[in-house]
Amino acid sequence: MGCFRKTMAVMAVLALILSSIAIIGQGDRADAAGPVYYDAEVTPFTFPECEGTPVLEALEHAEKTIDVSVYLLTSVYVLSMLIEKQSQGVKVRVLIEGQPIEYDIGTYDGTRIFRNLVDEGGEVHIINYKGCGTQTYTNLHNKYAVIDGETVVLTSENWTATNFSSHSENRGWGAVIKSTGYAQYMGSVFDNDFDESRTDVKRFTDVYPELTPYTGELSYRFGKYSAPTYTAKVSPAVTFDNASVQLKALISSATDRLYSEQLNITDSFIDIPVDNPYAWMLERADAGIDTRLVLNTYYDTSDDHRYAEKVKYINDNTPIIASGSPEGDHGLIHNKGLVVDDRTWVGSMNWTVDSINDSREANVIIQSPKVSDFYAETFLLDLYSGYVPGGGKEVRKVTYTVDGKETALNHIKGDRVVLPDDPVKGPESVYTYTFSHWDGYTEGMVADKDVVLTAVFDRHDALDDNPWFAYVIIVLAVIAALTLCTWYVRHGRDRSS
C-alpha cells in the first residue's frame, strides 16, 4: 500500500509539472509581472480600404466553431456568412449589445436576420437587453470573433453594412491573428460574457419572441483587398481584466516613436493630464520621444470647432505633433490605435472614462516591427493629410500628383517625406502603367520647403510585369517583318519584269 501511495504521489507531481509546462508553453512572459505574449501569424488591415473583406475571409475558413462578440452587427454580408456556415455544420454563437447608441435593437428591421440564424441552429444571446436591470458593463463595445479555437479577428470598427461596403468613411484598424494561445484566451472571455446564467444576458428569442425571420436577400461579397501576413507575438488587453495596466505600460515604454489615432479623448484628460492615456503620452513627448496624435475632427461644424480646438491646444502647448481628420475617403477617425516602437495596439477602447472603466473592450498588443510599420505608414498619411496648426511647429506643404490628381500633405519641417506605395495609372489605358519614380523626389527626402512632386509612369514596366505581352509584341513584329519582306520580294520581281 505504501509503495502504491508513493507511486501515486510521484505521478501527481509529474502531472503538475507537465501541466505547468503546458501552460507556460502557451505564452512567453516578458517578466514575472509582465503581460503574456503568444506566438502568432498576424494579417493587419485598415478600414475603409478593406471593406471588411479580411473579416469575411476569416469567417469563411471556419470549419468547426465561430464565436462573435460585437457592439454593432448589422452587416447583411457578415450575417449571411454566419447563416451559411451554420448550415454547413459550423457551430455559430453570437453575442450582441442590446442597446447600442442607447437604442433598442428590436426597433431595427435588420435585427430580424438574427432570427434566421437562430432558426438555422445558431445561438444568439443579447447582453444589456432592454429592461435587464443591473448591467456588468455599460456597453459590450468590443468587436471580435474567435474561429475554430485557433484564430481571432479583431477590429476597431463595428461590423455594420456601411463599414463592409465601399461607402465607409471610417478610418479604423483590424487584424486577423492565428494563435491558439491567444484564441483560447479570447474564447474564455467570450464564454464568460455569453453565459446565460448572467442576469444581464438572455437568448435572442426570449427577448424578441415575436420577431419574424428576415425575408430580404441574404448574400455576401468579397472585395479585392489583400494584406501581407507577418510572424509576431500578441498579448491580450481586455477591459475588466488588464487593459488599462497594459496600455500604461505600453505607452510608458516608448523609446523611439509613439503614434496614437483616436476617435475621442475625454476633455478632462487633456485639461488635467494626470494618470490617464493622454498624460502617459505627454510624459513621453516631454522626454523627447517622437510623439504624434491624430484626433477625430469629423464632427466639427462651421460654428463649433471643439475638436479642432483640442488639436490646436495640443500643438500650441505641448511637444506632441497633433492633426485632425484628413480630407478624403476616411474623414471619420473611428480608430483607437497606437504604434509604439515595434508594437501596435489594435482594438475598441476609446480614451474616455466610460470606455476604460465601464465598458467591455477587447484590444490586442502586436509585437512586430513589420506590423508596426504597416500601421505607421497609414497613420502618417492620415497625420499629414489632416489639419496641422502652428504652435511653433513649422509646416511644409508637399503636394504630390498621381495621374493628374493632386493631394497635399502637411509635413512638419524636417520630417521625412512619406508617399503612397506603387500608385497605378488606371485601367482606362491600353497598357498597364506601373509606378516608375517621383520627379524631383529622392529617397529619404525631408520637408525643408514647400514642394510639388509628380509621379512619372513608365510604359516599359508593363513589359517587365507581363512577359507574355512582350512575346506577343515580338511575334507580331516578326509577322510584320515577314509580310513586308514578302511584299518587297513580290513587288521587286514585278518591277524587274
Side-chain angles (χ1 to χ4, degrees), residues 51-128:
E51 300 179 20
T53 293
V55 178
L56 291 171
E57 290 178 341
L59 295 174
E60 183 189 36
H61 291 142
E63 297 179 350
K64 299 176 182 178
T65 60
I66 298 175
D67 293 332
V68 178
S69 180
V70 177
Y71 179 65
L72 270 174
L73 176 51
T74 61
S75 169
V76 173
Y77 294 162
V78 173
L79 288 164
S80 297
M81 172 69 78
L82 295 177
I83 292 169
E84 179 178 293
K85 298 306 292 186
Q86 178 66 45
S87 71
Q88 294 172 353
V90 176
K91 184 58 181 175
V92 176
R93 298 188 296 173
V94 176
L95 179 65
I96 51 174
E97 166 66 37
Q99 300 179 77
I101 324 176
E102 299 182 353
Y103 77 90
D104 179 6
I105 62 172
T107 62
Y108 173 62
D109 184 63
T111 298
R112 293 190 295 131
I113 305 180
F114 289 105
R115 179 59 187 265
N116 298 62
L117 178 57
V118 172
D119 289 349
E120 191 63 49
E123 294 183 55
V124 179
H125 287 182
I126 300 178
I127 189 170
N128 299 335

Side-chain angles (χ1 to χ4, degrees), residues 221-385:
R221 68 170 183 81
F222 298 100
K224 296 181 180 180
Y225 182 88
S226 63
T229 298
Y230 303 104
T231 299
K233 289 184 178 294
V234 298
S235 183
V238 180
T239 55
F240 283 56
D241 292 1
N242 62 350
S244 183
V245 173
Q246 285 269 61
L247 181 61
K248 182 176 182 178
L250 177 67
I251 294 176
S252 300
S253 69
T255 59
D256 180 29
R257 61 183 176 183
L258 173 52
Y259 302 156
S260 177
E261 192 164 48
Q262 299 297 323
L263 169 65
N264 193 13
I265 301 177
T266 294
D267 290 347
S268 63
F269 286 3
I270 298 175
D271 296 338
I272 309 174
V274 177
D275 200 26
N276 63 61
Y278 174 77
W280 306 329
M281 192 173 182
L282 183 57
E283 288 173 0
R284 301 315 296 151
D286 287 336
I289 305 304
D290 179 16
T291 306
R292 309 191 181 206
L293 170 70
V294 175
L295 181 63
N296 180 58
T297 56
Y298 183 86
Y299 297 124
D300 281 359
T301 66
S302 57
D303 299 322
D304 182 6
H305 304 283
R306 176 188 171 194
Y307 295 93
E309 287 173 358
K310 288 185 182 182
V311 172
K312 187 176 187 308
Y313 174 84
I314 292 169
N315 276 295
D316 287 346
N317 296 279
T318 78
I320 298 173
I321 296 172
S323 169
S325 295
E327 297 180 359
D329 296 335
H330 41 269
L332 172 55
I333 298 297
H334 192 261
N335 196 15
K336 312 97 171 59
L338 295 99
V339 173
V340 182
D341 299 338
D342 64 351
R343 286 158 294 163
T344 307
W345 174 288
V346 179
S348 63
M349 190 173 77
N350 291 301
W351 284 12
T352 63
V353 174
D354 177 76
S355 188
I356 295 172
N357 296 332
D358 300 315
S359 294
R360 177 62 115 179
E361 309 282 1
N363 315 277
V364 65
I365 299 173
I366 304 168
Q367 182 174 307
S368 162
K370 292 183 178 179
V371 170
S372 293
D373 287 345
F374 176 93
Y375 291 114
E377 181 176 341
T378 299
F379 170 87
L380 288 173
L381 287 174
D382 289 347
L383 178 87
Y384 296 142
S385 299

Side-chain angles (χ1 to χ4, degrees), residues 16-38:
L16 179 60
I17 293 173
L18 290 173
S19 63
S20 299
I21 292 173
I23 293 172
I24 293 171
Q26 292 179 359
D28 300 325
R29 288 187 178 274
D31 54 64
V36 175
Y37 276 89
Y38 302 99

Side-chain angles (χ1 to χ4, degrees), residues 406-460:
E406 286 192 356
T407 301
L409 300 177
N410 297 306
H411 282 261
I412 306 302
K413 182 179 179 181
D415 273 348
R416 181 173 177 270
V417 177
V418 178
L419 297 173
D421 287 339
D422 301 328
V424 177
K425 188 175 188 298
E428 74 281 355
S429 178
V430 175
Y431 299 101
T432 301
Y433 284 72
T434 55
F435 172 72
S436 177
H437 63 278
W438 291 94
D439 187 20
Y441 172 77
T442 57
E443 186 65 28
M445 179 179 177
V446 297
D448 55 0
K449 61 182 178 180
D450 291 352
V451 64
V452 177
L453 302 174
T454 303
V456 179
F457 297 90
D458 185 357
R459 170 173 156 179
H460 296 294

